[in-house]
Amino acid sequence: MTSTLQSLRDRQIASIERILNLNHAPPQQNGDGHDTYTATNGVISKSTPVLNADGDPIWKVLVFDNLGRDVISSVLRVNDLRAWGVTIHLNINSTRHQIPDVPALYLVEPTAANLSLITSDLSRNLYSPAYINFLSSIPRPLLEDFASQTASVGTAESIAQIYDQYLNFIVSEPDLFSLGMGKDTYWMMNSAHTQDQDLDNCVDRIVSGLFSVVVTMGSIPVIRCPKGGAAEMISAKLDRKLRDHVLNSKDNLFSSTSQRPNSSSGTPSSRPVLIIADRNVDLIPMLSHSWTYQSLVHDVCKMHLNRITVEVPAEEGQPGKSSTKRSYDLNANDFFWSKNAGKPFPQVAEDIDAELTRYKDDANDLTRKTGASSIEDLQNDTSASANHLKAAITLLPELRERKSVLDMHMNIATALLKGIKDRQLDTLYEMEESISKQSKAQMLEALQEGKIKEPLDKLRLFIIWFLSTEQDVSRTDMERFEEILKNSGADITSLAYIKRVREITKMSMISSAPSQPAQSSASNELFRGFSSISSRLTDRFKEAGLGSNIDNLISGVKNFLPANKDLTLTKITESLMDPQNASSSAIAKTENYLYFDPRSANARGTMPAASQARSQPGSVPGGFGNVGRGLEASFGQRRQGFSEAVVFTVGGGSMDEYGNLQEWAKRSSAAAGAGGTGTRKRVIYGSTELVNAEDFLNEELRRLGQES
């Protein structure tokens, strides 16, 4: 990977900005000195807004549907839209009024309902002209229906452009995406009650989303997946879709001159690998309690589309005032989040302290030079020298922004500390780190004693143990566990399904012993965590007016860092990306993974519908059988390495898995750099939807349990 390659988030932002720029591509010098235009799948240079005849930006209205809103809001803020001339943004399903002679940008899914609404808008002259951008490729029948509607109402002159944009996926982090398919995909893919048509639509939606990701990345991948199940069906359909596009399109989406070298037509190893796995390969990350910042935020604060709402305690000196709720956006532009999202929480707490110290030193340095008593006074001070004032004016916005970000993260840390304390999340995490070593007696004791207060947390802990343990759990044992969970207030409906899939997940899971023990000693200087900073951090929170109960929250929270342990999906990824360094157990699990290369001459034949494949004998309750269309990987293909991968889970994604994959990529890249090979690993993680443990249990496993 070269440093010039952009992240998936960078590429999606560039594509959206081009839409906001009326699909005007900025000129770029090529090697011959001629101007070329960069396609959405190339390495895109920064655009500038198109100007009108008077040199002003072209002001416009942005109209989106729900998916279009989610796609844009995850990567751009309102100020970003303003910079591109968007004065107002509206949902296509809301009541909208006429804004004459103002161009409208539509960013919507190509559905019959959306096309009818667009036709209605244009026939009522709400906007003119219209720049219509579909999030995915519009099917030919729908396009013909839209053309006939347009002709019948006479609105053809109001339409300036119609584009397929291939953007029907949501990017939350630079290398994290979801297809925004809702929190019931796992249920739908595994339920025997799902209608055939719904199942076909679900598979087609996943294939369409992955095709858009591949187009945005600008490189046709090699596809690897396990035999049988939804993953094989999706892989085969995506292979066919990519193959048909390359063969049938003279100027296809991967033939741009701005491609990175060897990205689409080079050797397989110079292209990325797309690993598609069924969620049942490992259910544990969907339920586990984590200790990293981003996973805790996702679990405790219920993060959705990078947005969280936390309760901020009343300031000291105002005892009568109740706490207030505040909403925050966490994205890659936040320097503290970018640096600390994947770190264990004690390290994050330390870094808040370090950053606040740095901010205070910088602020004191600035006020000392200008003679002001504080940053606030500096804005009104006219006595300072011109040079110092110039420096202050330059630095003030940056300092204030830093303070705002740090205040936000202190509020988030307060909410997390309260969640950790109330739910004993540190105890739960510590138990889950060595869950397979817990005996039945230890689990019974843990579930019975009053340490773990939340019934849902008890249920999560038990399911993780049940899926991990090598011990035989008899019917009598199971009834005892169920009785304890039920008496504690837990809804055990999901256990009926968990019992059915246990053997399947145990066959696919790869056990992983930590390569280093979990750090739990307060005497270890490197991992001193909360112990040595609690008093300083308490002072910081008090300075920020976050109340005096912080020391009570911090006291008693366990001081340890997680063990260096790879999850099942990470081991699968390692065995397919870097087989030379992978464990023999991981390689054995992926030895029979199917191999699809959409650029190879070996055709795959026609694909059956998902509902047809489902009727074959399947390994997963309510799931798919063998599709029988994949290609067995040759020895060379099994042992071939990749520097870039897209890992996609069908049925829901976990923040734990994302963090674990990024940690492995970072570790592998560092090892490659130290060894002199210089091949940097990069992993993009995607899923049908990022789902937190509570929703996964209540909205998916519980429904499957009712059907079992």
Side-chain angles (χ1 to χ4, degrees):
M1 294 286 293
T2 60
S3 59
T4 57
L5 293 183
Q6 295 170 311
S7 69
L8 186 65
R9 182 177 184 274
D10 292 334
R11 288 169 175 270
Q12 192 184 55
I13 289 173
S15 299
I16 293 170
E17 287 179 344
R18 202 172 69 143
I19 293 169
L20 300 177
N21 213 19
L22 308 180
N23 289 300
H24 172 81
Q28 180 181 331
Q29 290 279 319
N30 66 13
D32 301 324
H34 299 297
D35 282 347
T36 59
Y37 290 94
T38 316
T40 54
N41 56 350
V43 178
I44 309 171
S45 59
K46 190 72 177 172
S47 303
T48 52
V50 173
L51 306 178
N52 60 19
D54 299 325
D56 298 320
I58 297 175
W59 301 110
K60 53 193 87 82
V61 175
L62 175 62
V63 181
F64 43 58
D65 60 4
N66 290 342
L67 182 59
R69 174 200 62 206
D70 293 347
V71 168
I72 290 180
S73 64
S74 293
V75 292
L76 296 178
R77 305 273 79 84
V78 173
N79 288 344
D80 300 320
L81 296 178
R82 291 275 187 277
W84 288 93
V86 175
T87 55
I88 188 170
H89 49 89
L90 304 161
N91 194 299
I92 196 168
N93 296 303
S94 63
T95 303
R96 289 167 289 120
H97 303 288
Q98 187 178 26
I99 308 176
D101 302 320
V102 173
L105 289 173
Y106 287 90
L107 185 63
V108 295
E109 290 188 272
T111 64
N114 283 340
L115 294 176
S116 296
L117 288 169
I118 292 171
T119 302
S120 171
D121 289 352
L122 300 183
S123 65
R124 291 181 291 137
N125 295 314
L126 289 193
Y127 325 107
S128 180
Y131 296 81
I132 302 169
N133 299 275
F134 295 119
L135 287 163
S136 59
S137 179
I138 182 170
R140 184 80 184 182
L142 270 182
L143 187 60
E144 289 174 356
D145 286 348
F146 184 50
S148 62
Q149 287 178 37
T150 302
S152 64
V153 296
T155 55
E157 290 185 0
S158 299
I159 299 174
Q161 294 174 349
I162 299 180
Y163 273 83
D164 290 337
Q165 294 292 356
Y166 302 102
L167 289 172
N168 55 332
F169 60 95
I170 300 162
V171 180
S172 308
E173 297 281 332
D175 292 316
L176 173 68
F177 73 92
S178 74
L179 301 185
M181 292 180 62
K183 296 173 181 176
D184 61 353
T185 314
Y186 180 80
W187 167 81
M188 187 178 289
M189 301 299 277
N190 290 282
S191 170
H193 296 182
T194 305
Q195 298 296 314
D196 288 348
Q197 185 59 51
D198 293 336
L199 195 62
D200 289 342
N201 291 342
C202 184
V203 168
D204 289 342
R205 171 71 182 86
I206 294 170
V207 171
S208 171
L210 287 174
F211 183 82
S212 295
V213 170
V214 169
V215 168
T216 304
M217 288 181 64
S219 180
I220 296 178
V222 169
I223 305 169
R224 301 297 305 272
C225 72
K227 281 184 178 180
E232 182 182 351
M233 170 59 65
I234 291 161
S235 300
K237 280 200 162 191
L238 180 61
D239 172 70
R240 167 55 60 194
K241 189 177 178 77
L242 286 164
R243 184 183 302 280
D244 288 348
H245 175 77
V246 172
L247 291 175
N248 300 333
S249 306
K250 186 179 178 183
D251 185 22
N252 68 67
L253 293 161
F254 303 96
S255 62
S256 169
T257 56
S258 59
Q259 287 287 325
R260 59 191 182 193
N262 299 322
S263 62
S264 59
S265 58
T267 60
S269 59
S270 68
R271 293 151 51 192
V273 59
L274 170 58
I275 302 165
I276 301 177
D278 291 305
R279 183 63 273 166
N280 281 335
V281 76
D282 186 11
L283 286 178
I284 288 173
M286 300 299 293
L287 302 168
S288 60
H289 298 86
S290 185
W291 200 233
T292 62
Y293 193 28
Q294 61 191 2
S295 294
L296 278 168
V297 167
H298 200 245
D299 187 10
V300 176
C301 303
K302 306 291 185 287
M303 182 166 71
H304 180 60
L305 298 175
N306 289 8
R307 193 167 183 81
I308 60 169
T309 301
V310 298
E311 208 163 276
V312 179
E315 294 184 16
E316 280 191 276
Q318 298 181 352
K321 192 176 178 183
S322 61
S323 58
T324 57
K325 288 191 174 182
R326 288 188 193 168
S327 294
Y328 297 119
D329 289 311
L330 296 167
N331 55 54
N333 295 329
D334 176 339
F335 78 92
F336 191 86
W337 179 253
S338 296
K339 181 182 174 185
N340 290 285
K343 289 183 180 177
F345 188 58
Q347 280 190 3
V348 175
E350 264 198 327
D351 208 47
I352 289 177
D353 178 70
E355 287 292 342
L356 281 167
T357 301
R358 194 165 69 88
Y359 163 78
K360 210 167 185 179
D361 290 345
D362 290 348
N364 289 339
D365 187 50
L366 188 62
T367 53
R368 188 171 61 251
K369 284 179 181 177
T370 55
S373 58
S374 70
I375 287 287
E376 287 71 25
D377 293 341
L378 193 57
Q379 297 173 94
N380 306 315
D381 188 1
T382 57
S383 61
S385 69
N387 285 339
H388 286 152
L389 271 180
K390 185 179 177 183
I393 290 167
T394 306
L395 291 172
L396 259 179
E398 189 264 339
L399 280 174
R400 293 179 74 85
E401 176 65 22
R402 267 168 60 193
K403 183 65 165 62
S404 172
V405 168
L406 292 173
D407 285 348
M408 175 182 78
H409 283 282
M410 282 199 293
N411 286 333
I412 295 170
T414 307
L416 292 183
L417 280 167
K418 189 174 186 306
I420 290 167
K421 189 88 172 189
D422 291 348
R423 293 169 52 190
Q424 295 294 310
L425 295 181
D426 49 346
T427 301
L428 284 161
Y429 178 73
E430 193 173 27
M431 286 187 70
E432 288 170 17
E433 278 283 88
S434 57
I435 195 72
S436 59
K437 297 176 183 175
Q438 303 284 335
S439 67
K440 283 183 273 191
Q442 286 173 313
M443 278 307 300
L444 283 167
E445 185 184 346
L447 295 175
Q448 280 176 314
E449 64 185 23
K451 267 188 187 178
I452 306 168
K453 298 173 185 174
E454 286 289 325
L456 189 72
D457 288 325
K458 288 186 178 183
L459 181 61
R460 285 166 63 179
L461 178 68
F462 171 72
I463 293 174
I464 291 167
W465 174 80
F466 183 62
L467 292 175
S468 305
T469 186
E470 298 291 335
Q471 302 166 62
D472 181 50
V473 182
S474 66
R475 179 179 291 186
T476 307
D477 293 332
M478 198 67 189
E479 286 172 355
R480 178 75 176 125
F481 281 118
E482 287 177 357
E483 183 188 356
I484 291 170
L485 288 167
K486 209 170 183 178
N487 291 340
S488 72
D491 184 344
I492 61 169
T493 312
S494 57
L495 293 182
Y497 176 75
I498 292 295
K499 283 185 273 190
R500 293 179 67 190
V501 296
R502 183 191 185 207
E503 292 310 311
I504 298 147
T505 56
K506 280 183 75 66
M507 283 190 291
S508 58
M509 280 169 54
I510 304 169
S511 61
S512 174
S515 57
Q516 63 183 42
Q519 301 290 340
S520 59
S521 169
S523 63
N524 187 323
E525 182 62 23
L526 182 61
F527 301 123
R528 60 191 183 278
F530 287 116
S531 304
S532 63
I533 64 162
S534 58
S535 59
R536 283 186 291 145
L537 196 62
T538 302
D539 293 339
R540 295 297 188 197
F541 281 111
K542 285 178 181 176
E543 282 174 22
L546 296 178
S548 57
N549 63 338
I550 299 299
D551 48 350
N552 295 327
L553 287 177
I554 289 176
S555 63
V557 172
K558 284 189 171 60
N559 165 30
F560 59 85
L561 288 187
N564 183 10
K565 184 169 70 174
D566 290 336
L567 299 174
T568 293
L569 194 64
T570 304
K571 288 193 164 292
I572 288 170
T573 303
E574 181 182 36
S575 70
L576 295 172
M577 281 187 80
D578 191 12
Q580 287 185 329
N581 296 314
S583 67
S584 56
S585 61
I587 289 176
K589 296 286 186 188
T590 59
E591 190 79 2
N592 295 318
Y593 268 42
L594 297 174
Y595 184 99
F596 296 87
D597 184 354
R599 284 203 167 271
S600 88
N602 186 5
R604 300 283 182 264
T606 56
M607 288 306 309
S611 50
Q612 288 177 290
R614 180 195 199 185
S615 62
Q616 301 176 31
S619 57
V620 180
F624 296 78
N626 290 325
V627 181
R629 294 288 176 191
L631 185 73
E632 293 281 1
S634 68
F635 181 82
Q637 289 165 340
R638 289 199 299 267
R639 294 295 183 268
Q640 130 192 3
F642 297 88
S643 60
E644 185 175 7
V646 179
V647 181
F648 185 83
T649 55
V650 180
S654 154
M655 204 55 105
D656 264 11
E657 277 180 336
Y658 168 65
N660 199 252
L661 281 164
Q662 297 308 312
E663 185 59 38
W664 171 80
K666 186 178 173 184
R667 206 168 62 237
S668 300
S669 299
T677 57
T679 307
R680 186 169 156 265
K681 295 284 189 288
R682 178 181 168 198
V683 179
I684 296 169
Y685 177 73
S687 62
T688 46
E689 182 76 64
L690 279 172
V691 187
N692 66 38
E694 183 178 345
D695 291 334
F696 189 68
L697 257 174
N698 292 338
E699 296 185 29
E700 310 216 58
L701 295 181
R702 185 171 170 274
R703 291 173 74 183
L704 289 165
Q706 288 171 337
E707 296 170 11
S708 296

